[in-house]
Amino acid sequence: MDPPRAGAPLTDFTSPPAWADTFELGGFRLLDVDELSTPLAAADISELAEAELEQVRYWRPGTVGELMFNWWD
């Protein structure tokens, strides 16, 4: 995996480390590579606000990971 470049979108994700299960104690769950790689067309984005959906239409992220980590203003 290549290191991230400033201003470039993130496209490569890694699975959470084994110790990430600790976050569940606080009510959090880290997404794994398969979840982040899910095509956005297969994801339920119906709970997003209209302004967020407008951004999705503008930026056209291809995967859940791109949607979550590659917002540009």
Side-chain angles (χ1 to χ4, degrees):
M1 176 171 41
D2 295 326
R5 292 185 337 263
L10 296 175
T11 56
D12 295 323
F13 297 99
T14 60
S15 294
W19 54 261
D21 291 345
T22 305
F23 287 103
E24 290 183 14
L25 298 173
F28 298 98
R29 183 178 68 82
L30 299 180
L31 300 178
D32 63 30
V33 174
D34 289 338
E35 292 170 302
L36 291 168
S37 300
T38 299
L40 194 58
D44 179 8
I45 60 171
S46 64
E47 294 292 322
L48 296 179
E50 183 54 39
E52 293 166 324
L53 292 170
E54 187 175 307
Q55 291 294 306
V56 169
R57 288 188 292 271
Y58 181 81
W59 294 109
R60 298 182 306 201
T63 65
V64 170
E66 289 177 14
L67 172 69
M68 294 181 69
F69 295 107
N70 292 325
W71 283 101
W72 301 276
D73 297 292

